[in-house]
Amino acid sequence: MASNFINDCVRAMNVYRSTHQVSALTHNPQLTSIAQSWADRLAASGSLSHNPNASYRGENLGENCAMRWTSDRQDVTGIYYICSFIHLFLINVVHVISVDGQ
């Protein structure tokens, strides 16, 4: 995985986290390796699904799976990915609040 993408993801997520006064994240190469192996498998199969066996140090891992189609073959940047993730998370929060009536 390209280091610029990783660095952009970590930096963008930490900017968002700082607005909520929570500690910064750091890059973990072992987690990146687990995620990249699964991403390579998904790319080869042309499908999108969670890894049922994803674990690290005996703990099950959660995942945020995403896919983007483009005709111009441009890579997705880390900043684009994190902004999309935050946007989808916020939409989900608003939906849960509206459904629960809170």
Side-chain angles (χ1 to χ4, degrees):
M1 184 174 286
S3 62
N4 286 346
F5 179 84
I6 294 168
N7 292 336
D8 285 350
C9 282
V10 172
R11 187 172 47 251
M13 183 56 80
N14 284 334
V15 166
Y16 179 71
R17 289 173 64 86
S18 72
T19 66
H20 297 280
Q21 291 81 45
V22 294
S23 60
L25 299 175
T26 58
H27 173 237
N28 181 321
Q30 292 170 310
L31 294 177
T32 298
S33 178
I34 293 167
Q36 188 61 58
S37 293
W38 187 250
D40 292 343
R41 182 174 173 173
L42 294 178
S45 70
S47 64
L48 184 65
S49 64
H50 291 283
N51 182 346
N53 303 313
S55 67
Y56 176 71
R57 295 185 177 177
E59 297 287 330
N60 291 332
L61 298 175
E63 304 168 304
N64 295 302
C65 296
M67 181 171 26
R68 177 178 178 253
W69 181 88
T70 178
S71 62
D72 62 14
R73 298 186 144 318
Q74 289 188 349
D75 288 339
V76 173
T77 66
I79 294 169
Y80 175 89
Y81 175 77
I82 295 301
C83 289
S84 296
F85 167 76
I86 292 168
H87 176 76
L88 290 173
F89 172 77
L90 292 174
I91 288 172
N92 188 50
V93 168
V94 170
H95 173 74
V96 169
I97 291 170
S98 66
V99 168
D100 290 346
Q102 299 175 8

